[in-house]
Amino acid sequence: MKQLKDTSTEEKILEAAKEVFMKYGLYGARMQDIADTAGINKALLHYYFRNKEKMFDKVFEGALQKYFTQMDVFGDTTLPIKERIFRYIDNIVNFLSEYPQMTMFIIKEISINPEMFKEKVQPLKKGRGVRFIQALEEEISTGKIKKVDSVMFMINLHSLCTYPFIGAPLFKHALKANGKDYEKDFSTEKLKQSAKNFVELTLGK
Amino acid sequence: MKQLKDTSTEEKILEAAKEVFMKYGLYGARMQDIADTAGINKALLHYYFRNKEKMFDKVFEGALQKYFTQMDVFGDTTLPIKERIFRYIDNIVNFLSEYPQMTMFIIKEISINPEMFKEKVQPLKKGRGVRFIQALEEEISTGKIKKVDSVMFMINLHSLCTYPFIGAPLFKHALKANGKDYEKDFSTEKLKQSAKNFVELTLGK
DNA sequence: TTTGCATTTAACCAAACGGTTAAACCATTC
DNA sequence: GAATGGTTTAACCGTTTGGTTAAATGCAAA
């Protein structure tokens, strides 16, 4: 019962901290706001996580871990390259639709404090995009797919899969002004199909 | 000499305010930080812009105006649709590469305070994307281009043009881990070509 | 030179901020 | 039921925050 209550409070705080830090960033977030969101006394924040910076680190490291773990799954080497990319698309679109704010959170914070990247990402990152680009260039050299700019292809594919979630607030209003509805006219399945179509058309043969 | 000095100070403040607000957002920005960046006394901020909120409003409204003015240029109706889209791509990629932080700034702040959108965007926005999607659907109905999902096409094209700048901090590190170099292997011209190629392949015929 | 007025500054203020503490609480153990 | 020890709280502290003020500065007209 003891341990259960402990982790419960600690996780309530962590959940609230995620929410507030993701919305306002390290400098914009207020400890009182986190406490209110968690529905607990402010002093408990310091009881479980000494101070604001340490609490932020926990949240940010958790986000990095989750993000780079998911975004680096470029599985089964025995599959044909297109099938690998298709599964990669399914995987990251599912992930990004579940955590639409995470990408911006990470980008914002590392652009404010670039040293964090070296400290926290380099260790856990054996190389995002490495397997993707390498695999692509190998397939190009064997002539199985069209000669494409591997860097631009990787950037374009990530753009297609990522920005629809980041830019949702803009798209929602732009579409409404157009008699369209983001919730109705956009879907993750349509997006997956678009992205796969892009791959097919670009790598084609 | 009087008027010249006035506007000079006021613009120094506005420039500094843009920089700091874009980096930290409304809540994360510090008035002292803005004053230091502008190289002037903190009290001058209140002399020229009564308080933080009013100063932020000026900066944010300026950003909105610039953004939606540029992103809504979908010019010459007499040109063929593909040529119109190509020019649109040139236009927004040039703009986004010049102000790479602006998109995120706008998205972040309107997702924190959605009412601002209605207050500040609706008035100056006769309908972003309206002309784009409408023109597209007209061309589809006449059979001049392939039958595509106009909403998804618009989202995908904006993703291709926008995210490479937003995600630059991520791409830089991902590419470095890969023996590539963002500054060398990515360029706005390559991006324009990619986007136009996407249009060609998607709308084809 | 002096007057008048916009601009700039240092000093200051109350409120909000992150953080601490001592006491209260509460479930478990003896 | 008394003692133990982890958990929670209200009250508090020093600093930073946005904002104000009165005095100083500088410049142009009289």
Side-chain angles (χ1 to χ4, degrees), chain B residues 7-66:
Chain B
T7 43
S8 156
T9 298
E10 195 170 335
E11 286 201 3
K12 268 199 292 181
I13 294 175
L14 256 182
E15 279 308 306
K18 277 184 205 170
E19 192 181 321
V20 176
F21 277 130
M22 283 208 186
K23 195 167 177 184
Y24 296 106
L26 172 56
Y27 295 117
R30 305 281 177 252
M31 296 296 269
Q32 190 60 61
D33 191 1
I34 295 172
D36 293 346
T37 304
I40 47 98
N41 188 285
K42 199 187 66 172
L44 279 180
L45 303 183
H46 298 90
Y47 178 76
Y48 284 100
F49 310 85
R50 297 173 68 83
N51 55 44
K52 195 185 184 185
E53 273 70 28
K54 286 204 188 346
M55 203 164 98
F56 177 82
D57 279 356
K58 267 273 165 71
V59 170
F60 191 62
E61 278 167 19
L64 287 177
Q65 184 98 29
K66 213 166 199 170

Side-chain angles (χ1 to χ4, degrees), chain A residues 8 22 61-62 64 69 97 114 120 170 181 190 197:
Chain A
S8 157
M22 285 209 184
E61 278 167 18
L64 287 177
T69 301
S97 74
K120 303 202 168 73
L170 289 179
D181 182 13
K190 276 189 185 179
N197 195 47

Side-chain angles (χ1 to χ4, degrees), chain A residues 2 5-6 9 40-44 47-48:
Chain A
K2 207 193 324 180
K5 216 182 173 189
D6 289 15
T9 298
I40 47 97
N41 187 284
K42 198 188 65 170
L44 279 179
Y47 178 75
Y48 285 100

Side-chain angles (χ1 to χ4, degrees), chain A residues 173-179, chain B residues 72 74 125-136 154:
Chain A
H173 285 86
L175 290 176
K176 201 192 289 178
N178 212 324
Chain B
D72 202 29
F74 192 55
K125 192 192 67 173
K126 311 115 200 164
R128 176 176 113 89
V130 170
R131 292 149 77 192
F132 188 94
I133 288 187
Q134 269 186 354
L136 205 70
M154 179 239 177

Side-chain angles (χ1 to χ4, degrees), chain B:
Chain B
M1 203 58 154
K2 208 193 328 181
Q3 233 124 357
L4 210 87
K5 217 181 171 188
D6 290 14
T7 43
S8 156
T9 298
E10 195 170 335
E11 286 201 3
K12 268 199 292 181
I13 294 175
L14 256 182
E15 279 308 306
K18 277 184 205 170
E19 192 181 321
V20 176
F21 277 130
M22 283 208 186
K23 195 167 177 184
Y24 296 106
L26 172 56
Y27 295 117
R30 305 281 177 252
M31 296 296 269
Q32 190 60 61
D33 191 1
I34 295 172
D36 293 346
T37 304
I40 47 98
N41 188 285
K42 199 187 66 172
L44 279 180
L45 303 183
H46 298 90
Y47 178 76
Y48 284 100
F49 310 85
R50 297 173 68 83
N51 55 44
K52 195 185 184 185
E53 273 70 28
K54 286 204 188 346
M55 203 164 98
F56 177 82
D57 279 356
K58 267 273 165 71
V59 170
F60 191 62
E61 278 167 19
L64 287 177
Q65 184 98 29
K66 213 166 199 170
Y67 184 82
F68 285 105
T69 300
Q70 276 296 324
M71 300 296 279
D72 202 29
V73 174
F74 192 55
D76 206 334
T77 355
T78 63
L79 287 170
I81 183 76
K82 273 189 211 164
E83 187 55 33
R84 283 180 80 189
I85 296 177
F86 285 0
R87 293 189 185 194
Y88 181 68
I89 289 170
D90 287 334
N91 192 44
I92 70 173
V93 169
N94 286 340
F95 172 69
L96 294 169
S97 73
E98 195 175 355
Y99 304 95
Q101 302 178 64
M102 196 179 278
T103 315
M104 266 182 79
F105 176 54
I106 292 171
I107 292 172
K108 258 279 160 193
E109 296 302 324
I110 67 171
S111 69
I112 287 174
N113 188 354
E115 288 106 59
M116 281 203 303
F117 210 91
K118 295 168 194 163
E119 289 174 30
K120 303 201 167 73
V121 182
Q122 232 90 325
L124 67 88
K125 192 192 67 173
K126 311 115 200 164
R128 176 176 113 89
V130 170
R131 292 149 77 192
F132 188 94
I133 288 187
Q134 269 186 354
L136 205 70
E137 295 194 339
E138 282 168 20
E139 296 288 317
I140 292 173
S141 67
T142 63
K144 286 180 188 163
I145 53 176
K146 281 187 196 164
K147 272 186 193 168
V148 294
D149 185 322
S150 62
V151 169
M152 287 309 297
F153 180 77
M154 179 239 177
I155 290 178
N156 290 335
L157 187 61
H158 279 89
S159 297
L160 285 175
C161 295
T162 306
Y163 190 67
F165 302 105
I166 290 179
L170 289 178
F171 288 134
K172 280 176 189 170
H173 285 86
L175 291 176
K176 202 192 289 178
N178 213 322
K180 305 283 184 182
D181 182 12
Y182 181 84
E183 315 297 342
K184 234 188 62 190
D185 294 313
F186 172 82
S187 73
T188 58
E189 291 311 312
K190 277 189 184 178
L191 179 59
K192 288 174 188 171
Q193 212 175 329
S194 289
K196 288 174 187 174
N197 195 45
F198 169 77
V199 171
E200 195 68 59
L201 290 172
T202 309
L203 302 185
K205 281 220 173 180

